Amino acid sequence: MGRILAIDYGVRRTGLAATDPLQIIPGGLATVETLRLIPYLKEYLTREKVERFIVGFPKQTNGRDSDNLPRVRDFVAQLQKTFPEIPVDMWDERYTSILAQHAILESGIGKMARRNKALVDEVSATIILQGWMERKTTSSLNR
């Protein structure tokens, strides 16, 4: 069994989260400069088996596609071309940044750390992964 890796794709930075090898616990992995994302993933996959990618699908709060969607689709195409053996799922990422900021605030970390946008990106990727995992668990229970 391999890890599930979630990607909160951004113009400058991209947050990453991954499950443990048994796909039970999601956790933050890193925030990577977007220009270095594919090389980072290539290196990561030399050390870890990844079974599936989950990429945040950017929507506006009203349900319409966001301005970032064309960039995300281009990235997904590049991801599929670079790693054709690993399936890619899209997951609605609405509100993940707000939820991430709230989770960071509730964690009690200091004010300067809360301003760290890289941390917000990593926590957002974790929230995307958590949501995907919960849906997977719920759908398997309803069978």
Side-chain angles (χ1 to χ4, degrees):
M1 201 173 223
R3 297 176 188 271
I4 307 295
L5 194 143
I7 301 169
D8 181 28
Y9 187 84
V11 175
R12 292 186 187 112
R13 292 174 318 277
T14 296
L16 301 172
T19 65
D20 62 295
L22 296 176
Q23 300 177 9
I24 298 170
I25 301 168
L29 179 61
T31 299
V32 178
E33 183 182 346
T34 299
L35 293 173
R36 300 270 316 130
L37 181 56
I38 293 295
Y40 177 91
L41 292 173
K42 285 179 179 177
E43 194 276 326
Y44 182 78
L45 268 71
T46 65
R47 295 179 281 122
E48 301 289 343
K49 181 180 179 199
V50 172
E51 186 174 302
R52 180 174 302 272
F53 292 117
I54 310 301
V55 178
F57 188 76
K59 292 272 193 179
Q60 295 179 17
T61 54
N62 63 8
R64 293 193 173 137
D65 294 347
S66 79
D67 293 339
N68 198 34
L69 183 60
R71 285 185 286 273
V72 170
R73 287 187 189 202
D74 288 346
F75 167 70
V76 168
Q78 182 183 15
L79 193 62
Q80 290 171 322
K81 182 179 179 184
T82 306
F83 308 105
E85 69 286 356
I86 302 174
V88 178
D89 287 349
M90 301 294 286
W91 185 257
D92 186 349
E93 68 173 30
R94 275 181 285 185
Y95 308 112
T96 56
S97 292
I98 294 167
L99 292 170
Q101 289 170 341
H102 183 71
I104 292 166
L105 181 64
E106 292 293 315
S107 74
I109 66 172
K111 189 174 186 177
M112 291 307 290
R114 288 194 310 258
R115 291 182 183 167
N116 180 353
K117 292 182 188 227
L119 178 60
V120 172
D121 294 334
E122 185 176 326
V123 173
S124 293
T126 307
I127 291 169
I128 290 168
L129 183 55
Q130 179 78 38
W132 183 88
M133 291 174 69
E134 287 173 358
R135 183 223 20 133
K136 179 182 162 193
T137 302
T138 302
S139 64
S140 66
L141 290 174
N142 291 330
R143 288 186 195 168

